[in-house]
Amino acid sequence: IDSIVKTRVDLLENKVSLVVSENNPASIYSFEDLVSKLNSNDDILLAIGNADVPVGEYTIQIFDYYNLDLEKLDENGLLTYGSSVKEVTTQVKEGLVDCAIIYETDAKISDLEIVDTANETQCSQVVYPAAVLDTSNNMDITNEFYTYLQSDDAFEVFLSYGFTPIS
């Protein structure tokens, strides 16, 4: 974008996480546990995002990493879907499913138990950049806010919501 003044930085990272419903009735403690139960067609229900939403795209990458067949799992009735990460989070929070793949920030806000977190070989990094646009009507305030976003005070707030600062 031409309007970005050469200030773009990768500011924050979010993690793609496997969470479980209260008391973890399906005894899922890792992605490996989940894959084993899915492959053996155990009586579990996993909530994931639709393929057209970011959390769904990351989930498909995880499925590809573990050679899971999305269509087969769907046909076997092991999956439910959400059109947003909020819908997926709600399904696991309300105990409608055994587990879900969501962002760490959504898990933290919803007070859900994270049992595993995807690494960079399982799916892409979830990165949030920041930049200053030269179309701002008040560059002084814009630059001040941009500087604040990279401060220790801002990172403390970001950490409290489950984000990880990118150094």
Side-chain angles (χ1 to χ4, degrees), residues 28 75 112:
I28 297 169
E75 288 171 7
L112 289 166

Side-chain angles (χ1 to χ4, degrees), residues 55-113:
V55 76
E57 293 173 14
Y58 292 113
T59 300
I60 289 171
Q61 290 176 22
I62 293 169
F63 278 26
D64 288 346
Y65 176 83
Y66 286 106
N67 296 312
L68 291 170
D69 185 336
L70 181 66
E71 285 183 33
K72 182 180 174 191
L73 296 172
D74 197 28
E75 288 171 7
N76 291 337
L78 302 175
L79 303 177
T80 66
Y81 296 88
S83 61
S84 70
V85 72
K86 296 292 181 208
E87 283 185 17
V88 176
T89 302
T90 299
Q91 289 181 48
V92 72
K93 181 71 177 169
E94 292 182 1
L96 303 172
V97 298
D98 298 298
C99 54
I101 298 174
I102 61 174
Y103 299 117
E104 183 174 327
T105 51
D106 292 280
K108 191 161 190 153
I109 290 169
S110 298
D111 198 29
L112 289 166
E113 180 183 356

Side-chain angles (χ1 to χ4, degrees), residues 1-21:
I1 299 175
D2 291 340
S3 62
I4 295 179
V5 180
K6 299 175 178 144
T7 58
R8 186 190 184 284
V9 295
D10 289 339
L11 186 65
L12 302 170
E13 180 181 10
N14 205 343
K15 303 286 186 184
V16 179
S17 300
L18 176 62
V19 297
V20 293
S21 62

